[in-house]
Amino acid sequence: MWQSSPPGSIYDYIRVASFSIGPDGLIEQWSRRAAGLFGIAAHEAVGRDPVETFMPAELRTGGHRRVGEILDGKEWTGLVPFRMPGEDAVHGLAEVYVMPSETESGEPAALCIVVDVRALRRIETDLAASQAIFGQSPFGFVLFGTDFTVVRANQRFATVFGGQAADHRGRTVDDYLARPEAERLTATLRKVLETGDSVTDLQLVGTAPGDTENRHWSMDLYRVHSGAGRPIGIAGLATDVTRRHIAAREAASARRNLALLNEAGARIGNSLDLETTARELLGVAVPGFCDLASVDLYQGLLTGDEAPPGSWGSLHHESVGGSAELRRVAFASAVSDVLPVTASDSTSTDGATDPPALGAVHRYSFNSPCSMALRTGHIEVVPGDDCGFVQSTLAVPMVAHDTVVGLVQFSRTKGSEPFGERDRALATELAARAAVCIDNARLYRREHERALILQRSLLPPGDPEAAGLDIACRYLPGNTATEVGGDWFDVIELPGHRTALVVGDVMGRGLRAAVAMGELRTAVRTLALLDLEPAEVLSALDEVARGLGTPGASTPSDGLGGAQWPSRASHKARDADLSEVYLATCVYAVYDPVTRRCTFANAGHLPPVVVEPGEPALLLDVPPGMPLGVGGEPFEEVEVELKEGALLALYTDGLVESRDHPLDEGLQALRNALVEPELPLEDVCDHVLTTLDTRHGEDDIALLMARIQGLPVDAVGDWRLPREPRSVARARELARRQLLDWELDDLVDTTELLVSELVTNALRYGEGEIRLRLLRDRTLVCEVWDAGLVQPRRRRARDTDEGGRGLQLVGLLSAAWGSRRTPRGKTVWFELPLPDGEPAAERSVEQLLSMF
């Protein structure tokens, strides 16, 4: 049965054409495919010499000879280059098969079959590429027919599902997948075949032959067409993503655990109450981590017993008959109000062995997993009872500073995902965070109970002065009927006419709070002399707060230069002192009158208040940070530029906090009281104290207020100098000129000499550009900045040394000198008192000789 070849047949791809040559060697017949191949119509080709028409000139001699041989009856097959007529002739390569023939009269002729070699090479390349992609692909490749049976599969596909690639021909998706997945894949294949829309990352679940574990595959499907555009099937690329699925599940679990830890950091420890902290822990864990949980704390901890170490809470110390007494302080459940059956290994004080109720006092038997966890400080996994509904339980000791304060149990019911290694690590972390908060609450309560009435160990300074600031302060201690507290404030002069403003509050009252306040205030002044950044000061102060109460006496010497071994009694004293923790809040601010910028750092204190001219009072958004003594958390800094005449207020909670109204109302009342900041500063302080309902007598009150008065522009000289030797002379000239403008002629010679020394040191030992700055206020300050990180160190020069006396000279001639780090290097400074009309004191012989 004859039928026409449809478009896109194989003959279209390989471009087969034919023509005939007559006895005279000229073209006699010219097919339409020849016209398409060579680009010449039949009426143009018939009657022409094919050699002269198509072949290049250098090949025509051989071409005529070959045509003659063909007309003599010789067959020939070969590659013939050709060119199409025209100026821009296209050169090609044809494979020609010439068959001798005869005309009706018996004369010799020839029939030529022509194939475009370029088309054949393209077909070969396409077949090779197709085979490489299909056969050599490392992924499972399968071709479905229009009836959704497998037409072809590669060896990788066969490796997963068994047998050879040819064995899968004719199979359906039901041979590989369970019914629900097979129906889903069949529906997807039908949709792709009907619409032509490809599908990517189709997730399928099944089992490979001989495997019991589920595998996960990702499949990409797209419709395949013939050359004529007719759909002939669907191609599928299958990738085993089981490991990716497992990794994604683990990543989701890790993200969940991280979210729980973040939530724990925000929700646990907001109260210094033991039972509230325990409930906060369970509020985080249930139901996000487990289905039900409970917290037991040692009875001695709750009653505040001052028992010796090891009697109820230290590691490896439990009573012989079992654990020490514990009290069930919190319980939470997402599925039932029934207590976990894993707690049935405990005995209540009345002899009952049922799970302890909320508030009940009980003990765990010696060999129980819970007692083991309390003794060793390590987590124990308790399997569930076959008759109960609990699948498994994690018994996690709550350890803080090598002290066990209690036990928390996390349980999951049957049907939930079992606890894994990540879950055990998370449970330990949650318990540890809560334990630290509970231990801090315990220490705070002990400090509060042991506090004694005491006057302030340090009185606040009177009428403090600072460059660029007008300062007023108020300090109202609690009355004699209440326990003293730990509020303090301070104003500290820093190099460069900068000023540190400090307000702090030691938590608690009594003797220890007052003593701690005095120690922290002294530590602040010491740290301020080091000229650290505010956040660094608080970090160091946090270390000091955590170290307060630690034995500071050195080990006694044995007289031979060696140290004696500490006695057992000293070990006990050290352990007792290490359990004491000082908690305090503090705001530390550094004000620079040159730039009118103030840098704040906060350790759990109330935010400062700023009132700019013509604006309402605002609470500065300074990150509160953790209180001093907690440790483990860095402090942040905030830099604020204050306008001329702005008012800054630092205060303690006694000013705004009261049991009669919430803190927010007290803060709003403080802002409302600062409505007339242009009044004299002393009047503003009095107005605030008389306006606010402070309920004085409940707590100490400290109030420090400062009005911003930046240094005038003409009181600052600032220059940048290139890094070259002549900058030393330039610096002396600039300093001389500036001092003469300020009418400080008496300081010119000394300043020139010291500036020369500092700039020379910056050139010799520093790096980068040099900056010179002079500041005039109550004193004259000179600063030399460079990008070097090495701090200058004063030393005594030997007799033979040619240098090394510069800093000795600076120390001898200046009132004070020093260096501090900057974000991009260091600053070396010295300070000179302004002349008061009296002649300068003569240097002693010892002072002059100390330079040599």
Side-chain angles (χ1 to χ4, degrees):
M1 179 178 178
W2 296 94
Q3 69 177 35
S4 61
S5 176
S9 66
I10 188 64
Y11 299 104
D12 288 334
Y13 284 108
I14 62 177
R15 302 186 68 180
V16 178
S18 65
F19 63 91
S20 63
I21 299 176
D24 54 1
L26 302 179
I27 297 174
E28 189 175 65
Q29 291 183 341
W30 189 257
S31 68
R32 292 182 179 178
R33 285 187 178 270
L37 176 62
F38 293 103
I40 300 176
H43 69 275
E44 297 175 336
V46 173
R48 299 179 64 178
D49 185 343
V51 175
E52 296 292 335
T53 303
F54 303 112
M55 297 187 68
E58 64 272 12
L59 300 177
R60 291 174 184 173
T61 302
H64 285 297
R65 183 173 64 253
R66 187 66 65 188
V67 171
E69 293 174 356
I70 292 169
L71 294 177
D72 288 341
K74 185 177 180 181
E75 291 188 358
W76 180 80
T77 302
L79 298 177
V80 176
F82 66 90
R83 65 179 181 83
M84 298 179 183
E87 294 181 1
D88 299 329
V90 178
H91 291 269
L93 187 64
E95 185 175 72
V96 182
Y97 176 42
V98 183
M99 298 172 289
S101 62
E102 295 180 355
T103 62
E104 293 180 357
S105 60
E107 292 180 299
L111 177 63
C112 302
I113 305 298
V114 183
V115 178
D116 189 350
V117 175
R118 295 172 302 175
L120 290 177
R121 296 294 180 266
R122 284 196 298 269
I123 292 174
E124 291 175 355
T125 302
D126 292 346
L127 289 175
S130 176
Q131 180 61 29
I133 295 175
F134 197 88
Q136 301 174 21
S137 171
F139 307 105
F141 212 110
V142 61
L143 179 63
F144 295 96
T146 55
D147 58 352
F148 307 141
T149 60
V150 176
V151 176
R152 187 179 179 186
N154 67 351
Q155 188 56 42
R156 178 61 181 169
F157 186 87
T159 301
V160 176
F161 291 101
Q164 298 298 318
D167 299 337
H168 293 269
R169 189 183 300 274
R171 292 186 180 180
T172 65
V173 294
D174 296 300
D175 297 321
Y176 304 105
L177 300 172
R179 179 175 295 275
E181 292 290 88
E183 291 177 351
R184 191 161 64 91
L185 177 55
T186 301
T188 305
L189 290 173
R190 182 175 292 107
K191 179 181 178 182
V192 172
L193 183 62
E194 292 175 353
T195 64
D197 296 333
S198 60
V199 173
T200 59
D201 197 23
L202 175 64
Q203 297 291 319
L204 299 172
V205 181
T207 55
D211 194 358
T212 58
E213 297 292 334
N214 276 339
R215 309 292 296 177
H216 295 261
W217 293 285
S218 173
M219 200 161 192
D220 298 336
L221 301 170
Y222 58 92
R223 192 169 70 183
V224 180
H225 305 86
S226 67
R230 177 171 53 87
I232 61 174
I234 304 101
L237 181 65
T239 306
D240 191 335
V241 294
T242 304
R243 292 185 179 179
R244 187 197 308 171
H245 181 79
I246 295 174
R249 185 173 58 187
E250 292 180 352
S253 176
R255 286 194 298 270
R256 181 201 65 185
N257 292 353
L258 181 60
L260 279 174
L261 288 178
N262 290 336
E263 185 180 2
R267 296 179 56 183
I268 299 176
N270 294 321
S271 169
L272 287 175
D273 179 75
L274 302 177
E275 297 183 5
T276 300
T277 303
R279 288 192 294 268
E280 290 170 347
L281 168 62
L282 300 192
V284 172
V286 180
F289 176 68
C290 61
D291 298 318
L292 60 162
S294 62
V295 175
D296 299 322
L297 296 180
Y298 279 109
Q299 179 70 357
L301 179 147
L302 294 168
T303 57
D305 293 345
E306 293 294 338
S311 62
W312 57 265
S314 296
L315 295 178
H316 311 292
H317 291 85
E318 289 291 328
S319 60
V320 177
S323 69
E325 288 186 344
L326 299 109
R327 184 193 301 174
R328 178 64 52 85
V329 296
F331 171 74
S333 174
V335 294
S336 172
D337 292 333
V338 180
L339 298 180
V341 297
T342 55
S344 61
D345 58 0
S346 65
T347 303
S348 63
T349 53
D350 58 4
T353 58
D354 293 333
L358 190 63
V361 178
H362 63 98
R363 297 174 182 266
Y364 288 109
S365 60
F366 183 81
N367 294 324
S368 66
C370 294
S371 182
M372 181 70 70
L374 290 169
R375 285 198 305 273
T376 64
H378 297 129
I379 188 172
E380 293 287 334
V381 180
V382 185
D385 191 347
D386 294 337
C387 300
F389 66 95
V390 174
Q391 180 190 80
S392 62
T393 297
L394 298 179
V396 188
M398 305 176 71
V399 183
H401 308 115
D402 292 332
T403 298
V404 180
V405 299
L407 181 77
V408 57
Q409 297 182 70
F410 303 106
S411 301
R412 287 182 180 175
T413 57
K414 294 179 179 178
S416 299
E417 184 178 354
F419 288 114
E421 188 62 32
R422 291 180 182 271
D423 296 324
R424 289 192 287 271
L426 176 61
T428 303
E429 178 66 21
L430 289 175
R433 292 195 178 197
V436 170
C437 296
I438 287 175
D439 195 49
N440 288 338
R442 175 184 69 87
L443 296 173
Y444 165 72
R445 185 178 63 182
R446 187 177 68 175
E447 293 301 311
H448 180 74
E449 292 173 350
R450 294 174 58 185
L452 301 173
I453 298 178
L454 182 69
Q455 295 297 326
R456 296 298 180 197
S457 60
L458 294 173
L459 295 176
D463 300 328
E465 296 181 356
L469 290 176
D470 181 15
I471 296 177
C473 52
R474 294 291 185 274
Y475 184 78
L476 303 178
N479 60 32
T480 57
T482 62
E483 298 172 306
V484 296
D487 294 12
W488 90 92
F489 71 90
D490 212 340
V491 178
I492 307 170
E493 294 187 51
L494 300 177
H497 289 318
R498 294 171 302 129
T499 304
L501 305 175
V502 190
V503 168
D505 184 2
V506 177
M507 296 183 182
R509 299 178 182 176
L511 174 64
R512 288 186 53 81
V515 171
M517 176 270 289
E519 294 188 45
L520 291 177
R521 181 178 180 274
T522 303
V524 169
R525 296 191 70 88
T526 303
L527 293 169
L529 294 178
L530 299 178
D531 209 356
L532 303 176
E533 296 295 329
E536 294 176 328
V537 171
L538 292 188
S539 296
L541 197 62
D542 179 63
E543 295 291 337
V544 172
R546 285 190 287 165
L548 291 179
T550 303
S554 60
T555 305
S557 172
D558 59 3
L560 299 176
Q564 295 180 348
W565 291 102
S567 65
R568 184 174 182 180
S570 67
H571 274 301
K572 291 183 177 180
R574 181 179 294 106
D575 292 340
D577 286 335
L578 286 175
S579 66
E580 307 293 340
V581 173
Y582 287 82
L583 298 177
T585 64
C586 180
V587 170
Y588 186 91
V590 174
Y591 171 69
D592 187 345
V594 179
T595 61
R596 294 201 314 278
R597 289 183 175 273
C598 193
T599 304
F600 297 87
N602 192 349
H605 203 79
L606 294 174
V609 178
V610 170
V611 188
E612 294 187 342
E615 300 291 339
L618 296 176
L619 296 176
L620 285 181
D621 185 13
V622 180
M626 296 296 290
L628 301 175
V630 174
E633 295 291 336
F635 298 99
E636 299 182 42
E637 293 181 358
V638 172
E639 187 178 66
V640 179
E641 182 174 354
L642 302 174
K643 293 183 179 180
E644 185 78 16
L647 191 64
L648 174 65
L650 305 178
Y651 52 94
T652 58
D653 55 2
L655 183 66
V656 295
E657 193 172 24
S658 172
R659 66 185 64 180
D660 296 332
H661 57 75
L663 177 61
D664 290 343
E665 291 184 7
L667 292 174
Q668 185 60 45
L670 173 61
R671 295 171 60 189
N672 295 338
L674 296 172
V675 293
E676 297 180 354
E678 67 279 357
L679 295 176
L681 207 53
E682 295 291 338
D683 295 342
V684 175
C685 288
D686 294 337
H687 176 71
V688 169
L689 293 176
T690 56
T691 302
L692 267 64
D693 183 14
T694 59
R695 297 285 181 178
H696 181 53
E698 295 181 0
D699 197 1
D700 297 352
I701 296 176
L703 175 61
L704 176 61
M705 305 193 74
R707 177 170 284 122
I708 304 303
Q709 297 174 350
L711 287 183
V713 177
D714 58 1
V716 179
D718 196 346
W719 307 275
R720 297 184 183 273
L721 303 173
R723 189 169 190 81
E724 54 188 29
R726 62 181 180 179
S727 292
V728 178
R730 174 63 176 165
R732 288 196 301 266
E733 176 62 26
L734 292 172
R736 168 181 287 273
R737 187 182 306 167
Q738 185 64 71
L739 264 61
L740 292 177
D741 291 343
W742 286 340
E743 298 181 354
L744 298 176
D745 303 30
D746 294 342
L747 300 181
V748 169
D749 293 338
T750 302
T751 303
E752 273 192 303
L753 177 60
L754 300 187
V755 165
S756 177
E757 291 293 338
L758 295 189
V759 174
T760 301
N761 283 347
L763 285 172
R764 181 175 299 174
Y765 306 111
E767 299 176 6
E769 187 181 41
I770 300 172
R771 182 179 176 186
L772 171 66
R773 190 168 75 168
L774 295 178
L775 306 177
R776 185 197 65 183
D777 192 66
R778 291 173 298 159
T779 61
L780 176 68
V781 173
C782 174
E783 299 175 327
V784 175
W785 302 7
D786 69 82
L789 298 178
V790 178
Q791 298 291 320
R793 181 173 61 88
R794 183 177 178 180
R795 63 182 179 85
R796 181 177 294 276
R798 294 173 297 185
D799 295 342
T800 57
D801 289 345
E802 296 182 0
R805 299 175 178 83
L807 293 181
Q808 293 186 28
L809 185 65
V810 174
L812 180 64
L813 299 181
S814 65
W817 78 279
S819 66
R820 67 178 184 272
R821 293 177 300 168
T822 64
R824 296 182 178 85
K826 67 176 180 297
T827 298
V828 185
W829 58 271
F830 66 83
E831 184 175 349
L832 295 175
L834 298 182
D836 55 3
E838 297 293 333
E842 295 291 338
R843 304 291 178 182
S844 65
V845 175
E846 290 76 9
Q847 289 176 326
L848 295 175
L849 289 177
S850 66
M851 300 171 55
F852 299 95

